[in-house]
Amino acid sequence: MPGLLRGVARTAAVAGTATAVSNRVSRRQAGRWAQQDYEQQQQYAQQQPAPPAPAAPPPAAAPDDMTRKIEQLKQLGDLKAQGVLTDEEFERQKRLLLG
C-alpha cells in the first residue's frame, strides 16, 4: 500500500505542476495578445484622418430679424387700418421690408 500512495502522490504532484505551468503559459500568451491588440489599435487610430469639425450653428440673429420684420409689418397694417397709409404705400413698404 505504501507504494500505491507514493505513486498517487507523485501523480498528483506532476499533475499540479503541469496545471500551474499551463496556466502561467496561458496568462503570458493572453498578455502578449492583449499588447498586440493595443498596438494595432494605436496604429489604426494614427492612420485614421481626424473627424471633420462640426458645422457651425445658424446665426442667432435670424429669429430676431424675422421677429423685427413681423413687428414692422404689424405696424404697417395698423397704419393702413388707421388710414395713414394708402394701399399703394402699404404695398411698397411691405415689398421694401420683405424684399
Coordinates of all heavy atoms in Angstrom, one line a residue:
M1 N 0.8 -1.2 0.0 CA 0.0 0.0 0.0 C 0.8 1.3 0.0 O 0.4 2.2 -0.6 CB -0.9 -0.1 1.2 CG -2.0 0.9 1.2 SD -3.3 0.4 0.1 CE -4.7 0.6 1.0
P2 N 2.0 1.3 0.7 CA 2.8 2.5 0.7 C 3.3 2.8 -0.7 O 3.4 4.0 -1.1 CB 4.0 2.2 1.6 CG 3.6 1.0 2.4 CD 2.5 0.3 1.7
G3 N 3.5 1.8 -1.5 CA 4.0 2.1 -2.9 C 2.9 2.7 -3.7 O 3.1 3.6 -4.6
L4 N 1.6 2.3 -3.4 CA 0.5 2.9 -4.1 C 0.3 4.3 -3.8 O 0.0 5.2 -4.6 CB -0.8 2.0 -3.8 CG -2.0 2.5 -4.5 CD1 -1.9 2.4 -6.0 CD2 -3.2 1.6 -4.0
L5 N 0.4 4.6 -2.5 CA 0.3 6.0 -2.0 C 1.4 6.9 -2.6 O 1.1 8.1 -3.0 CB 0.3 6.1 -0.5 CG -0.9 5.6 0.2 CD1 -0.7 5.7 1.7 CD2 -2.1 6.4 -0.2
R6 N 2.6 6.4 -2.7 CA 3.7 7.1 -3.2 C 3.4 7.4 -4.7 O 3.7 8.5 -5.2 CB 5.0 6.3 -3.1 CG 6.2 7.2 -3.4 CD 7.5 6.4 -3.2 NE 7.6 5.7 -1.9 CZ 8.2 4.6 -1.7 NH1 8.8 3.9 -2.7 NH2 8.2 4.0 -0.6
G7 N 2.9 6.5 -5.5 CA 2.6 6.6 -6.9 C 1.5 7.7 -7.1 O 1.5 8.5 -8.0
V8 N 0.4 7.6 -6.2 CA -0.7 8.6 -6.3 C -0.1 10.0 -6.0 O -0.5 11.0 -6.6 CB -1.8 8.2 -5.3 CG1 -2.8 9.3 -5.2 CG2 -2.5 6.9 -5.8
A9 N 0.7 10.1 -5.0 CA 1.3 11.4 -4.6 C 2.1 12.0 -5.7 O 2.1 13.2 -6.0 CB 2.1 11.3 -3.3
R10 N 2.9 11.1 -6.3 CA 3.8 11.6 -7.4 C 2.9 12.0 -8.6 O 3.2 13.1 -9.2 CB 4.7 10.4 -7.8 CG 5.7 10.9 -8.9 CD 6.6 9.8 -9.4 NE 7.3 9.2 -8.2 CZ 7.7 7.9 -8.2 NH1 7.5 7.1 -9.2 NH2 8.3 7.4 -7.1
T11 N 1.8 11.3 -8.9 CA 1.0 11.7 -10.0 C 0.3 13.0 -9.7 O 0.2 13.9 -10.6 CB -0.1 10.6 -10.2 OG1 0.5 9.4 -10.5 CG2 -1.0 11.0 -11.4
A12 N -0.1 13.2 -8.5 CA -0.8 14.5 -8.1 C 0.2 15.6 -8.2 O -0.1 16.7 -8.6 CB -1.3 14.4 -6.7
A13 N 1.4 15.4 -7.8 CA 2.5 16.5 -7.8 C 2.8 16.8 -9.3 O 2.9 18.0 -9.7 CB 3.7 16.0 -7.1
V14 N 2.9 15.8 -10.1 CA 3.1 16.1 -11.6 C 2.0 16.8 -12.2 O 2.1 17.8 -13.0 CB 3.5 14.7 -12.3 CG1 3.5 15.0 -13.8 CG2 4.8 14.2 -11.8
A15 N 0.8 16.3 -11.9 CA -0.4 17.0 -12.5 C -0.6 18.4 -12.0 O -0.9 19.3 -12.8 CB -1.7 16.2 -12.1
G16 N -0.3 18.6 -10.7 CA -0.4 20.0 -10.2 C 0.6 20.9 -10.9 O 0.3 22.1 -11.2
T17 N 1.9 20.4 -11.0 CA 2.9 21.2 -11.7 C 2.5 21.5 -13.1 O 2.7 22.6 -13.6 CB 4.2 20.5 -11.6 OG1 4.5 20.2 -10.2 CG2 5.4 21.3 -12.2
A18 N 2.0 20.5 -13.8 CA 1.6 20.7 -15.2 C 0.5 21.7 -15.3 O 0.6 22.6 -16.2 CB 1.2 19.4 -15.8
T19 N -0.4 21.7 -14.4 CA -1.5 22.7 -14.4 C -1.0 24.1 -14.2 O -1.4 25.0 -14.8 CB -2.6 22.3 -13.4 OG1 -3.1 21.0 -13.7 CG2 -3.7 23.3 -13.4
A20 N -0.1 24.2 -13.2 CA 0.4 25.5 -12.9 C 1.2 26.1 -14.1 O 1.1 27.3 -14.4 CB 1.3 25.4 -11.6
V21 N 2.0 25.3 -14.7 CA 2.8 25.7 -15.9 C 1.9 26.1 -17.0 O 2.1 27.1 -17.7 CB 3.8 24.6 -16.3 CG1 4.5 25.0 -17.6 CG2 4.9 24.4 -15.2
S22 N 0.9 25.3 -17.2 CA -0.1 25.5 -18.3 C -0.8 26.9 -18.1 O -1.0 27.7 -19.0 CB -1.1 24.4 -18.4 OG -2.1 24.7 -19.4
N23 N -1.2 27.1 -16.9 CA -1.9 28.4 -16.5 C -1.0 29.6 -16.7 O -1.4 30.6 -17.2 CB -2.4 28.4 -15.1 CG -3.6 27.4 -15.0 OD1 -4.3 27.1 -15.9 ND2 -3.9 27.0 -13.7
R24 N 0.3 29.4 -16.3 CA 1.2 30.5 -16.5 C 1.5 30.8 -18.0 O 1.5 32.0 -18.4 CB 2.5 30.2 -15.8 CG 3.5 31.3 -15.8 CD 4.8 31.0 -15.0 NE 5.7 32.1 -15.1 CZ 7.0 31.9 -15.1 NH1 7.5 30.7 -14.9 NH2 7.8 32.9 -15.2
V25 N 1.6 29.8 -18.8 CA 1.8 30.0 -20.2 C 0.6 30.7 -20.8 O 0.7 31.6 -21.6 CB 2.1 28.6 -20.9 CG1 2.1 28.8 -22.4 CG2 3.5 28.1 -20.5
S26 N -0.6 30.2 -20.4 CA -1.8 30.8 -21.0 C -1.9 32.3 -20.6 O -2.3 33.1 -21.4 CB -3.1 30.1 -20.4 OG -3.1 28.8 -20.9
R27 N -1.6 32.7 -19.4 CA -1.7 34.1 -19.0 C -0.7 34.9 -19.7 O -0.9 36.0 -20.1 CB -1.4 34.2 -17.4 CG -2.6 33.8 -16.6 CD -2.4 34.3 -15.1 NE -1.3 33.6 -14.5 CZ -1.3 32.5 -13.9 NH1 -2.4 31.8 -13.8 NH2 -0.2 32.0 -13.3
R28 N 0.5 34.3 -19.9 CA 1.6 35.1 -20.6 C 1.1 35.3 -22.1 O 1.3 36.4 -22.6 CB 2.9 34.3 -20.6 CG 4.0 35.1 -21.2 CD 5.3 34.4 -21.2 NE 5.7 33.9 -19.9 CZ 6.6 32.9 -19.6 NH1 7.2 32.3 -20.6 NH2 6.9 32.6 -18.4
Q29 N 0.6 34.3 -22.7 CA 0.1 34.4 -24.1 C -1.0 35.5 -24.2 O -1.1 36.3 -25.1 CB -0.4 33.1 -24.7 CG 0.7 32.2 -25.0 CD 0.2 30.8 -25.5 OE1 -0.9 30.5 -25.3 NE2 1.1 30.1 -26.2
A30 N -1.9 35.4 -23.2 CA -3.1 36.4 -23.2 C -2.5 37.8 -23.1 O -3.0 38.7 -23.7 CB -4.0 36.0 -22.1
G31 N -1.5 38.0 -22.3 CA -0.9 39.3 -22.1 C -0.2 39.8 -23.4 O -0.4 40.9 -23.8
R32 N 0.4 38.9 -24.1 CA 1.1 39.2 -25.3 C 0.0 39.6 -26.4 O 0.2 40.6 -27.1 CB 1.9 38.1 -25.9 CG 3.2 37.9 -25.1 CD 4.0 36.8 -25.6 NE 5.2 36.6 -24.8 CZ 6.0 35.5 -24.9 NH1 5.6 34.5 -25.7 NH2 7.0 35.4 -24.1
W33 N -1.1 38.8 -26.5 CA -2.1 39.1 -27.4 C -2.8 40.5 -27.1 O -3.1 41.2 -28.0 CB -3.1 38.0 -27.5 CG -2.6 36.7 -28.0 CD1 -1.5 36.6 -28.9 CD2 -3.1 35.4 -27.8 NE1 -1.3 35.2 -29.2 CE2 -2.3 34.5 -28.5 CE3 -4.1 34.9 -27.1 CZ2 -2.5 33.1 -28.5 CZ3 -4.4 33.5 -27.1 CH2 -3.5 32.7 -27.8
A34 N -3.0 40.7 -25.8 CA -3.6 42.0 -25.5 C -2.7 43.1 -25.9 O -3.2 44.2 -26.3 CB -3.9 42.0 -24.0
Q35 N -1.4 43.0 -25.7 CA -0.4 44.0 -26.0 C -0.4 44.2 -27.5 O -0.4 45.4 -28.0 CB 1.0 43.7 -25.5 CG 2.0 44.7 -25.9 CD 1.8 46.0 -25.2 OE1 1.2 46.1 -24.1 NE2 2.2 47.1 -25.8
Q36 N -0.5 43.1 -28.3 CA -0.5 43.3 -29.8 C -1.8 44.0 -30.2 O -1.8 44.8 -31.1 CB -0.4 41.9 -30.4 CG 0.9 41.3 -30.4 CD 1.0 39.9 -30.9 OE1 -0.1 39.3 -31.2 NE2 2.2 39.3 -31.1
D37 N -2.9 43.6 -29.6 CA -4.2 44.3 -29.9 C -4.1 45.8 -29.7 O -4.6 46.6 -30.4 CB -5.4 43.6 -29.2 CG -5.8 42.3 -29.7 OD1 -5.4 41.9 -30.8 OD2 -6.5 41.5 -29.0
Y38 N -3.6 46.1 -28.5 CA -3.5 47.5 -28.1 C -2.6 48.3 -29.2 O -2.9 49.4 -29.6 CB -2.9 47.6 -26.7 CG -2.6 49.0 -26.3 CD1 -3.6 49.9 -25.9 CD2 -1.3 49.6 -26.3 CE1 -3.4 51.2 -25.5 CE2 -1.1 50.9 -25.9 CZ -2.1 51.7 -25.5 OH -1.9 53.0 -25.2
E39 N -1.5 47.7 -29.5 CA -0.6 48.3 -30.5 C -1.3 48.5 -31.9 O -1.1 49.5 -32.5 CB 0.7 47.5 -30.6 CG 1.6 47.6 -29.4 CD 2.8 46.6 -29.4 OE1 2.9 45.8 -30.4 OE2 3.6 46.6 -28.5
Q40 N -2.0 47.5 -32.3 CA -2.7 47.5 -33.6 C -3.8 48.6 -33.5 O -4.0 49.4 -34.5 CB -3.4 46.2 -33.9 CG -2.4 45.2 -34.3 CD -3.0 43.8 -34.5 OE1 -4.2 43.6 -34.2 NE2 -2.2 42.9 -35.0
Q41 N -4.5 48.8 -32.4 CA -5.5 49.8 -32.3 C -4.8 51.2 -32.3 O -5.4 52.1 -32.9 CB -6.3 49.6 -30.9 CG -7.2 48.5 -31.0 CD -7.8 48.2 -29.6 OE1 -7.5 48.9 -28.6 NE2 -8.8 47.3 -29.5
Q42 N -3.7 51.3 -31.7 CA -3.0 52.6 -31.7 C -2.6 53.0 -33.1 O -2.7 54.1 -33.6 CB -1.8 52.6 -30.8 CG -2.1 52.5 -29.3 CD -3.0 53.6 -28.9 OE1 -2.7 54.8 -29.2 NE2 -4.0 53.4 -28.1
Q43 N -2.0 52.0 -33.9 CA -1.6 52.2 -35.3 C -2.8 52.6 -36.1 O -2.7 53.5 -36.9 CB -0.9 51.0 -35.8 CG 0.5 50.7 -35.2 CD 1.0 49.4 -35.7 OE1 0.4 48.6 -36.4 NE2 2.3 49.1 -35.3
Y44 N -3.9 51.9 -35.9 CA -5.1 52.2 -36.7 C -5.6 53.6 -36.4 O -6.0 54.3 -37.3 CB -6.2 51.1 -36.4 CG -7.5 51.4 -37.1 CD1 -7.6 51.0 -38.4 CD2 -8.6 51.9 -36.5 CE1 -8.8 51.2 -39.1 CE2 -9.8 52.1 -37.1 CZ -9.9 51.8 -38.5 OH -11.0 52.0 -39.2
A45 N -5.6 54.0 -35.1 CA -6.1 55.3 -34.8 C -5.2 56.4 -35.4 O -5.7 57.4 -35.7 CB -6.1 55.4 -33.2
Q46 N -3.9 56.1 -35.5 CA -3.0 57.1 -36.1 C -3.2 57.2 -37.6 O -3.0 58.3 -38.1 CB -1.5 56.7 -35.8 CG -1.2 56.9 -34.3 CD 0.2 56.4 -34.0 OE1 0.9 55.8 -34.9 NE2 0.7 56.5 -32.8
Q47 N -3.6 56.2 -38.2 CA -3.8 56.2 -39.7 C -5.1 56.9 -40.1 O -5.3 57.3 -41.2 CB -3.8 54.8 -40.2 CG -2.4 54.1 -40.1 CD -2.5 52.6 -40.5 OE1 -3.6 52.1 -40.7 NE2 -1.3 52.0 -40.5
Q48 N -6.1 56.9 -39.2 CA -7.4 57.5 -39.5 C -7.3 59.0 -39.5 O -6.7 59.6 -38.7 CB -8.4 57.0 -38.4 CG -8.7 55.5 -38.4 CD -9.1 55.0 -39.8 OE1 -10.0 55.6 -40.4 NE2 -8.5 54.0 -40.2
P49 N -8.0 59.6 -40.5 CA -8.0 61.1 -40.6 C -8.8 61.6 -39.4 O -9.7 60.9 -38.9 CB -8.6 61.4 -41.9 CG -9.5 60.2 -42.2 CD -8.7 59.0 -41.6
A50 N -8.6 62.8 -39.0 CA -9.3 63.5 -38.0 C -10.8 63.7 -38.4 O -11.0 64.0 -39.6 CB -8.7 64.8 -37.6
P51 N -11.7 63.5 -37.5 CA -13.1 63.7 -37.9 C -13.3 65.2 -38.3 O -12.7 66.1 -37.7 CB -13.9 63.3 -36.7 CG -13.0 63.4 -35.6 CD -11.6 63.2 -36.1
P52 N -14.3 65.5 -39.2 CA -14.5 66.8 -39.6 C -15.1 67.6 -38.4 O -15.8 67.1 -37.6 CB -15.5 66.7 -40.7 CG -16.2 65.4 -40.5 CD -15.1 64.5 -39.9
A53 N -14.8 68.9 -38.4 CA -15.3 69.8 -37.4 C -16.8 69.9 -37.5 O -17.3 69.9 -38.6 CB -14.7 71.2 -37.5
P54 N -17.5 70.0 -36.4 CA -19.0 70.1 -36.5 C -19.4 71.4 -37.2 O -18.7 72.4 -37.1 CB -19.5 70.1 -35.1 CG -18.3 70.4 -34.3 CD -17.1 70.0 -35.0
A55 N -20.5 71.3 -37.9 CA -20.9 72.5 -38.7 C -21.3 73.6 -37.7 O -21.8 73.3 -36.6 CB -22.1 72.2 -39.5
A56 N -21.1 74.8 -38.1 CA -21.4 76.0 -37.2 C -22.9 76.1 -37.1 O -23.6 75.9 -38.1 CB -20.8 77.2 -37.8
P57 N -23.4 76.4 -36.0 CA -24.9 76.6 -35.8 C -25.3 77.9 -36.6 O -24.5 78.8 -36.9 CB -25.1 76.8 -34.3 CG -23.8 77.3 -33.8 CD -22.7 76.7 -34.7
P58 N -26.6 77.9 -37.0 CA -27.0 79.1 -37.8 C -26.9 80.3 -36.9 O -27.0 80.2 -35.7 CB -28.5 78.7 -38.1 CG -28.9 77.7 -37.2 CD -27.6 76.9 -36.8
P59 N -26.8 81.4 -37.5 CA -26.6 82.7 -36.7 C -27.9 82.9 -35.8 O -29.0 82.7 -36.3 CB -26.4 83.8 -37.7 CG -26.9 83.2 -39.0 CD -26.7 81.7 -38.9
A60 N -27.7 83.4 -34.6 CA -28.8 83.6 -33.7 C -29.6 84.8 -34.1 O -30.7 85.0 -33.6 CB -28.3 83.7 -32.3
A61 N -29.1 85.6 -34.9 CA -29.8 86.9 -35.3 C -31.0 86.6 -36.2 O -31.9 87.5 -36.3 CB -28.8 87.8 -36.0
A62 N -31.0 85.5 -36.9 CA -32.1 85.2 -37.8 C -33.5 85.3 -37.2 O -34.4 85.9 -37.7 CB -31.9 83.9 -38.5
P63 N -33.7 84.6 -36.1 CA -35.1 84.7 -35.5 C -35.4 86.1 -35.0 O -36.5 86.6 -35.2 CB -35.0 83.8 -34.3 CG -33.9 82.8 -34.6 CD -32.9 83.6 -35.4
D64 N -34.4 86.8 -34.5 CA -34.6 88.2 -34.1 C -35.0 89.1 -35.3 O -35.8 90.0 -35.2 CB -33.4 88.8 -33.3 CG -33.2 88.1 -32.0 OD1 -34.2 87.5 -31.4 OD2 -32.1 88.1 -31.5
D65 N -34.3 88.9 -36.4 CA -34.5 89.6 -37.6 C -35.9 89.4 -38.1 O -36.7 90.3 -38.5 CB -33.5 89.3 -38.6 CG -33.6 90.2 -39.9 OD1 -33.8 91.4 -39.7 OD2 -33.5 89.6 -41.0
M66 N -36.4 88.1 -38.1 CA -37.7 87.8 -38.5 C -38.8 88.4 -37.6 O -39.8 88.9 -38.0 CB -37.9 86.3 -38.6 CG -39.2 85.9 -39.2 SD -39.6 86.5 -40.8 CE -38.5 85.6 -41.8
T67 N -38.5 88.4 -36.3 CA -39.4 89.0 -35.3 C -39.5 90.5 -35.6 O -40.6 91.0 -35.5 CB -38.9 88.7 -33.9 OG1 -38.7 87.3 -33.7 CG2 -39.9 89.2 -32.9
R68 N -38.4 91.1 -35.9 CA -38.4 92.5 -36.1 C -39.3 92.8 -37.4 O -40.1 93.8 -37.4 CB -37.0 93.0 -36.3 CG -36.9 94.5 -36.5 CD -35.4 95.0 -36.5 NE -34.6 94.3 -37.4 CZ -34.6 94.5 -38.8 NH1 -35.3 95.5 -39.3 NH2 -33.8 93.8 -39.5
K69 N -39.1 92.0 -38.4 CA -39.9 92.2 -39.6 C -41.4 92.0 -39.4 O -42.2 92.8 -39.9 CB -39.4 91.3 -40.7 CG -38.1 91.7 -41.3 CD -37.7 90.7 -42.4 CE -36.3 91.1 -43.0 NZ -35.9 90.3 -44.1
I70 N -41.7 91.0 -38.6 CA -43.1 90.8 -38.3 C -43.7 92.0 -37.6 O -44.9 92.4 -37.9 CB -43.3 89.5 -37.5 CG1 -43.0 88.3 -38.4 CG2 -44.7 89.4 -36.9 CD1 -42.9 87.0 -37.7
E71 N -43.0 92.5 -36.6 CA -43.5 93.7 -35.9 C -43.7 94.9 -36.8 O -44.6 95.6 -36.7 CB -42.5 94.1 -34.8 CG -42.5 93.1 -33.6 CD -43.8 93.0 -32.9 OE1 -44.5 94.1 -32.7 OE2 -44.3 91.9 -32.6
Q72 N -42.7 95.1 -37.7 CA -42.8 96.2 -38.7 C -44.1 96.0 -39.6 O -44.8 97.0 -39.9 CB -41.6 96.3 -39.5 CG -40.4 96.9 -38.7 CD -39.1 96.9 -39.5 OE1 -39.0 96.3 -40.5 NE2 -38.1 97.7 -38.9
L73 N -44.3 94.8 -40.0 CA -45.5 94.5 -40.8 C -46.8 94.8 -40.1 O -47.7 95.4 -40.6 CB -45.5 93.1 -41.3 CG -44.6 92.7 -42.5 CD1 -44.5 91.2 -42.7 CD2 -45.0 93.5 -43.7
K74 N -46.8 94.4 -38.8 CA -48.0 94.7 -38.0 C -48.2 96.3 -37.9 O -49.3 96.7 -38.0 CB -47.8 94.1 -36.6 CG -48.0 92.7 -36.5 CD -47.8 92.1 -35.1 CE -47.9 90.6 -35.0 NZ -47.6 90.1 -33.7
Q75 N -47.1 97.0 -37.7 CA -47.2 98.4 -37.6 C -47.7 99.0 -38.9 O -48.6 99.9 -38.9 CB -45.8 99.1 -37.3 CG -45.4 98.8 -35.8 CD -44.0 99.3 -35.6 OE1 -43.3 99.8 -36.5 NE2 -43.6 99.2 -34.3
L76 N -47.2 98.5 -40.0 CA -47.7 99.0 -41.3 C -49.2 98.7 -41.5 O -49.9 99.5 -42.0 CB -46.9 98.3 -42.5 CG -45.5 98.8 -42.7 CD1 -44.8 97.9 -43.8 CD2 -45.5 100.3 -43.1
G77 N -49.6 97.5 -41.1 CA -51.0 97.1 -41.1 C -51.9 98.0 -40.3 O -53.0 98.4 -40.7
D78 N -51.4 98.4 -39.1 CA -52.1 99.3 -38.2 C -52.2 100.7 -38.9 O -53.3 101.3 -38.8 CB -51.4 99.4 -36.9 CG -51.6 98.1 -36.0 OD1 -52.4 97.3 -36.4 OD2 -50.8 98.0 -35.1
L79 N -51.1 101.1 -39.5 CA -51.1 102.5 -40.1 C -52.1 102.5 -41.3 O -52.8 103.4 -41.5 CB -49.7 102.9 -40.6 CG -48.7 103.2 -39.5 CD1 -47.3 103.4 -40.1 CD2 -49.2 104.4 -38.7
K80 N -52.2 101.4 -42.0 CA -53.1 101.3 -43.2 C -54.5 101.3 -42.7 O -55.4 101.9 -43.2 CB -52.8 100.0 -44.0 CG -53.7 99.8 -45.2 CD -53.4 98.6 -45.9 CE -54.5 98.3 -46.9 NZ -54.5 97.0 -47.4
A81 N -54.8 100.5 -41.6 CA -56.1 100.4 -41.0 C -56.6 101.8 -40.5 O -57.8 102.1 -40.5 CB -56.2 99.4 -39.9
Q82 N -55.7 102.6 -40.0 CA -56.0 103.9 -39.4 C -56.2 104.9 -40.6 O -56.6 106.0 -40.3 CB -54.9 104.4 -38.5 CG -54.8 103.6 -37.2 CD -53.6 104.0 -36.4 OE1 -52.8 104.9 -36.7 NE2 -53.3 103.2 -35.3
G83 N -55.8 104.5 -41.8 CA -55.9 105.4 -42.9 C -54.7 106.3 -43.1 O -54.7 107.2 -44.0
V84 N -53.6 106.1 -42.4 CA -52.4 106.9 -42.6 C -51.7 106.5 -43.9 O -51.2 107.4 -44.5 CB -51.5 106.7 -41.3 CG1 -50.2 107.5 -41.5 CG2 -52.2 107.1 -40.0
L85 N -51.7 105.2 -44.2 CA -51.1 104.8 -45.4 C -52.2 104.4 -46.4 O -53.2 103.8 -46.1 CB -50.2 103.6 -45.2 CG -48.9 103.7 -44.3 CD1 -48.2 102.4 -44.1 CD2 -48.0 104.7 -45.0
T86 N -51.9 104.7 -47.7 CA -52.8 104.2 -48.8 C -52.4 102.7 -49.1 O -51.4 102.2 -48.6 CB -52.6 105.0 -50.0 OG1 -51.3 104.9 -50.5 CG2 -53.0 106.5 -49.7
D87 N -53.2 102.1 -49.9 CA -52.9 100.7 -50.3 C -51.6 100.7 -51.1 O -50.8 99.7 -50.9 CB -54.0 100.2 -51.2 CG -55.3 99.9 -50.4 OD1 -55.2 99.7 -49.2 OD2 -56.4 99.8 -51.1
E88 N -51.3 101.6 -51.9 CA -50.1 101.7 -52.7 C -48.9 101.8 -51.8 O -47.9 101.2 -51.9 CB -50.1 102.8 -53.7 CG -51.1 102.6 -54.8 CD -51.3 103.8 -55.7 OE1 -50.6 104.8 -55.5 OE2 -52.1 103.8 -56.6
E89 N -49.0 102.8 -50.8 CA -47.9 103.0 -49.9 C -47.6 101.7 -49.0 O -46.5 101.4 -48.8 CB -48.2 104.2 -49.0 CG -48.2 105.5 -49.7 CD -48.7 106.6 -48.8 OE1 -49.6 106.4 -47.9 OE2 -48.3 107.8 -49.0
F90 N -48.7 101.1 -48.6 CA -48.6 99.9 -47.8 C -47.9 98.8 -48.6 O -46.9 98.2 -48.1 CB -50.0 99.4 -47.3 CG -49.9 98.1 -46.6 CD1 -49.5 98.0 -45.3 CD2 -50.3 96.9 -47.3 CE1 -49.5 96.8 -44.7 CE2 -50.3 95.7 -46.6 CZ -49.8 95.6 -45.3
E91 N -48.3 98.6 -49.8 CA -47.7 97.5 -50.6 C -46.2 97.8 -50.9 O -45.3 96.9 -50.9 CB -48.4 97.4 -52.0 CG -49.8 96.7 -51.8 CD -49.7 95.3 -51.2 OE1 -48.8 94.6 -51.6 OE2 -50.6 95.0 -50.5
R92 N -45.9 99.1 -51.2 CA -44.5 99.5 -51.4 C -43.6 99.3 -50.2 O -42.5 98.7 -50.3 CB -44.4 101.0 -51.9 CG -43.0 101.4 -52.3 CD -43.0 102.8 -52.9 NE -44.2 103.6 -52.5 CZ -44.1 104.8 -51.9 NH1 -43.0 105.3 -51.7 NH2 -45.2 105.4 -51.6
Q93 N -44.1 99.7 -49.0 CA -43.3 99.5 -47.8 C -43.2 98.0 -47.5 O -42.1 97.6 -47.0 CB -44.0 100.2 -46.6 CG -44.0 101.7 -46.7 CD -42.6 102.2 -46.7 OE1 -41.7 101.7 -46.0 NE2 -42.3 103.3 -47.5
K94 N -44.2 97.2 -47.7 CA -44.2 95.8 -47.5 C -43.1 95.1 -48.4 O -42.3 94.3 -47.9 CB -45.5 95.2 -47.7 CG -45.6 93.7 -47.3 CD -47.0 93.1 -47.4 CE -47.4 92.9 -48.8 NZ -48.6 92.1 -48.9
R95 N -43.1 95.5 -49.7 CA -42.1 95.0 -50.6 C -40.7 95.4 -50.1 O -39.7 94.5 -50.2 CB -42.3 95.4 -52.0 CG -43.2 94.5 -52.8 CD -43.4 94.9 -54.2 NE -44.7 95.6 -54.3 CZ -44.9 96.8 -54.8 NH1 -43.9 97.5 -55.4 NH2 -46.0 97.4 -54.8
L96 N -40.5 96.6 -49.7 CA -39.2 97.0 -49.2 C -38.7 96.2 -48.0 O -37.6 95.8 -47.8 CB -39.2 98.5 -48.9 CG -39.2 99.5 -50.1 CD1 -39.4 100.9 -49.5 CD2 -37.9 99.4 -50.8
L97 N -39.7 96.0 -47.1 CA -39.4 95.3 -45.9 C -39.0 93.8 -46.1 O -38.1 93.3 -45.6 CB -40.6 95.4 -44.9 CG -40.4 94.7 -43.5 CD1 -39.3 95.4 -42.8 CD2 -41.7 94.9 -42.8
L98 N -39.8 93.2 -47.0 CA -39.6 91.7 -47.2 C -38.6 91.4 -48.4 O -38.1 90.4 -48.4 CB -41.0 91.1 -47.6 CG -42.0 91.1 -46.5 CD1 -43.3 90.5 -47.0 CD2 -41.5 90.4 -45.3
G99 N -38.4 92.4 -49.2 CA -37.5 92.2 -50.4 C -36.1 92.3 -50.0 O -35.2 91.6 -50.4

